[in-house]
Amino acid sequence: MRNLAVTEYWFITGSQHLYGEKTLRQVAEHSRVIVDGLNASGLPSKLILQPVLTGPEAIRDLLERASGDARCAGVIAWMHTFSPAKMWIGGLRRLTKPLLHLHTQFNRELPWSSIDMDFMNLNQSAHGDREFGHLITRLRHPREVVVGHWQNPAVVSQIESWIRVADAWHDWQGARFARFGDNMRSVAVTEGDKVAAEIRFGFSVDGYGIGDLVQRVNAVSETEIDRLVEEYTDLYTITPSLQRNGPQHASLRDAARQELGIRAFLQEGNFKGFTTTFEDLHGLKQLPGLAAQRLMAEGYGFGAEGDWKSAALLRAIKVIAGGKQTSFMEDYTYDLPLGDELVLGSHMLEICPSIARDRPALSIHPLGIGGREDPPRLVFDASTGPATNATLIDLGTRFRLLVNEVDVIPPQKPLPRLPVARATWKCRPEFSTACEAWIHAGGSHHTILSQAVNRRQLASFADIAGIEAVFIDAQTSIAAFRQELRTNEIYYHLASGFGAN
């Protein structure tokens, strides 16, 4: 993943002085064993053990330091014993990093024949965590809750999953996205309030004239292009006309020049994603399709037609997914046999090869839009299996994350005359309900399709961001869904203030 910082997570344990130094030493040792065990399990980021917290001053100091530490991306809290929750008010009010509440205990099983009150006083997570959880709820502080023994693989998996979500939020803080050109003319859903987005999400969207990019593209050397074309040869099945000495090889070199120029621009500006639009290509020979595909595969966010919200969301979901099986997407057209309706998703060119089922083909075909030369592109079918299809919407008063759970399937028939990357899927619960719900929710035609990110992760990300999340799944009914939207309208106005994002 490009420009992804190394993060760490602080593990904090709550107790109190009432139990005495011997018990507190045992608490500290148990916490050390848990942290060492979780780190040995292969978590994506390292857990850093902090001293046992027993008073309000120490709690406040530590959580203030966590909030200000650039490397700390989140806090994992566990109450080994009973820790009176009023001690935590000052610290939690100052905590700005994501919080996971781990409800576990050191021992997996009770020592039934030897258990005594010393054991009971030491191992009080059962009610210590309830006290802590009560206060977090009363403070309305967002958090993830993971329950179970810390050596349980399902528990470790949930911690790992949350760390990836918190990493994505950490990655958004101070992130920059480059917008080459403006929005596609007269399109509503790809527009949005970039100031409100920076206030809410922490990333900025900076606009650049296409001439700024053209200057960088034109500076690419022929030697750089030679090396990149060799890389294409290693990775893809290249159509004969694009191969060396082929009649359209120059077009492939032009595509490589664009890729190198865009990558250099993004690296020099420390950008994490970008947008393009086919209505503003002055000075470019072709729409940057192959470049967008390959840069997405490296982890950059991308949005077509100026869609900066999709670029930012793609970057976040790429981080959660570890760069795997995630792409910019568009619900392009339908197959509507009665009772077996399908969506054919694609875009003009820009679908990430991380979702490819087989080795992509690199070919060239007319585009018919944008008024430029024919662009090379990677052509493939998506891998099959369950997926999430998500979009980030600016409703004017707030942002909404809308997600449809889908099942990607093979194309029903060959597509010999459709030379673009594509995915075919069935919507849950079924086509008509899913599409009607999507439209009622104001969903975009641009989405992020991922086969490596699940519903819980997206819900957790929305919780951290403080935005609405709405899911269309196997249980969705239109009546209940529309009522959920109405209820959410009231809740988010009351929670955030009328007219405020």
Side-chain angles (χ1 to χ4, degrees):
M1 289 287 295
R2 292 278 186 175
N3 295 346
L4 185 61
V6 176
T7 58
E8 62 188 31
Y9 288 80
W10 290 11
F11 190 96
I12 61 176
T13 308
S15 187
Q16 59 178 326
H17 286 295
L18 178 67
Y19 302 110
E21 289 304 313
K22 179 181 178 182
T23 296
L24 291 177
R25 285 195 297 271
Q26 289 178 287
V27 169
E29 175 60 16
H30 288 177
S31 297
R32 183 195 63 78
V33 172
I34 290 175
V35 168
D36 288 348
L38 290 174
N39 280 331
S41 71
L43 296 177
S45 295
K46 186 177 182 180
L47 305 189
I48 306 298
L49 178 64
Q50 301 298 324
V52 177
L53 297 171
T54 57
E57 294 81 8
I59 292 170
R60 185 170 57 249
D61 175 69
L62 188 139
L63 294 183
E64 281 183 342
R65 287 191 289 110
S67 296
D69 192 293
R71 196 178 178 98
C72 175
V75 171
I76 299 176
W78 170 50
M79 302 301 109
H80 191 314
T81 64
F82 193 81
S83 181
K86 286 175 63 178
M87 298 193 304
W88 291 84
I89 293 173
L92 287 172
R93 285 171 62 87
R94 289 164 173 78
L95 180 63
T96 60
K97 299 293 176 70
L99 173 64
L100 182 146
H101 182 188
L102 177 59
H103 183 40
T104 190
Q105 66 181 24
F106 180 70
N107 56 295
R108 184 189 296 274
E109 298 176 354
L110 288 176
W112 294 98
S113 62
S114 62
I115 188 169
D116 55 18
M117 283 310 301
D118 287 339
F119 182 93
M120 297 283 277
N121 285 332
L122 175 62
N123 298 282
Q124 297 188 50
S125 302
H127 63 289
D129 276 328
R130 283 171 166 78
E131 167 79 355
F132 184 65
H134 163 77
L135 183 73
I136 299 174
T137 297
R138 180 160 181 178
L139 291 175
R140 276 73 173 175
H141 192 101
R143 88 288 204 177
E144 182 82 356
V145 179
V146 174
V147 177
H149 192 259
W150 57 275
Q151 291 178 314
N152 184 336
V155 169
V156 176
S157 178
Q158 289 180 54
I159 295 171
E160 176 184 355
S161 176
W162 176 81
I163 285 175
R164 295 190 183 280
V165 170
D167 272 352
W169 178 253
H170 187 264
D171 183 71
W172 261 11
Q173 307 314 299
R176 301 178 67 204
F177 294 88
R179 203 179 193 208
F180 297 121
D182 199 356
N183 195 59
M184 184 177 172
R185 299 183 191 105
S186 300
V187 176
V189 75
T190 52
E191 281 283 15
D193 189 335
K194 294 187 284 293
V195 175
E198 187 164 358
I199 293 169
R200 170 59 61 187
F201 301 125
F203 63 75
S204 64
V205 181
D206 303 317
Y208 293 89
I210 199 69
D212 296 326
L213 175 59
V214 170
Q215 184 178 26
R216 195 64 191 80
V217 169
N218 290 341
V220 172
S221 71
E222 295 299 318
T223 300
E224 291 177 287
I225 295 173
D226 289 339
R227 285 197 295 263
L228 187 55
V229 169
E230 287 300 316
E231 183 177 324
Y232 294 163
T233 302
D234 292 338
L235 294 175
Y236 314 122
T237 302
I238 302 180
T239 191
S241 67
L242 290 176
Q243 294 175 11
R244 196 176 303 276
N245 300 323
Q248 295 174 296
H249 183 70
S251 294
L252 183 62
R253 296 183 66 84
D254 289 336
R257 183 184 298 277
Q258 287 185 343
E259 179 184 334
L260 290 162
I262 296 172
R263 183 182 289 105
F265 190 102
L266 297 176
Q267 290 176 347
E268 290 163 8
N270 198 32
F271 292 102
K272 295 184 177 179
F274 67 105
T275 72
T276 61
T277 172
F278 59 80
E279 289 184 324
D280 192 352
L281 296 174
H282 183 71
L284 294 177
K285 291 185 177 181
Q286 55 188 245
L287 178 66
L290 179 60
Q293 290 181 293
R294 285 177 44 82
L295 289 165
M296 279 190 281
E298 293 179 15
Y300 285 107
F302 172 78
E305 294 124 33
D307 188 355
W308 55 269
K309 296 189 297 298
S310 287
L313 184 61
L314 175 58
R315 170 65 182 195
I317 296 180
K318 281 277 190 183
V319 173
I320 298 172
K324 299 175 183 176
Q325 292 183 286
T326 301
S327 178
F328 175 77
M329 187 57 69
E330 180 172 273
D331 296 57
Y332 219 106
T333 191
Y334 299 140
D335 187 36
L336 298 178
L338 185 61
D340 195 26
E341 296 88 350
L342 304 173
V343 177
L344 178 59
S346 185
H347 205 256
M348 293 180 295
L349 303 173
E350 308 98 334
I351 302 299
C352 178
S354 68
I355 68 170
R357 182 180 63 189
D358 301 309
R359 179 183 170 98
L362 177 51
S363 57
I364 184 170
H365 307 271
L367 184 60
I369 196 167
R372 289 295 186 270
E373 296 178 7
D374 298 342
R377 78 290 301 266
L378 299 175
V379 178
F380 54 84
D381 290 311
S383 299
T384 59
T388 55
N389 206 26
T391 190
L392 182 63
I393 313 159
D394 185 348
L395 294 173
T397 57
R398 68 182 187 280
F399 292 95
R400 168 181 287 161
L401 180 66
L402 175 62
V403 183
N404 186 196
E405 295 181 339
V406 303
D407 294 285
V408 182
I409 64 173
Q412 300 298 283
K413 295 181 180 180
L415 297 163
R417 295 174 59 85
L418 186 64
V420 292
R422 60 263 171 155
T424 306
W425 65 82
K426 289 187 174 183
C427 301
R428 299 182 190 175
E430 38 72 32
F431 176 83
S432 61
T433 298
C435 291
E436 184 177 346
W438 190 273
I439 290 171
H440 279 304
S444 172
H445 58 288
H446 287 168
T447 61
I448 308 304
L449 181 77
S450 179
Q451 295 168 301
V453 168
N454 60 45
R455 172 189 180 135
R456 179 166 182 165
Q457 289 173 309
L458 294 174
S460 182
F461 187 79
D463 283 345
I464 293 172
I467 64 170
E468 177 188 13
V470 182
F471 293 87
I472 304 168
D473 57 23
Q475 284 72 49
T476 296
S477 71
I478 292 300
F481 187 83
R482 295 191 68 184
Q483 184 56 51
E484 179 184 0
L485 296 180
R486 296 187 192 102
T487 302
N488 287 357
E489 195 79 23
I490 297 169
Y491 169 80
Y492 282 97
H493 276 310
L494 293 175
S496 302
F498 286 86
N501 271 301

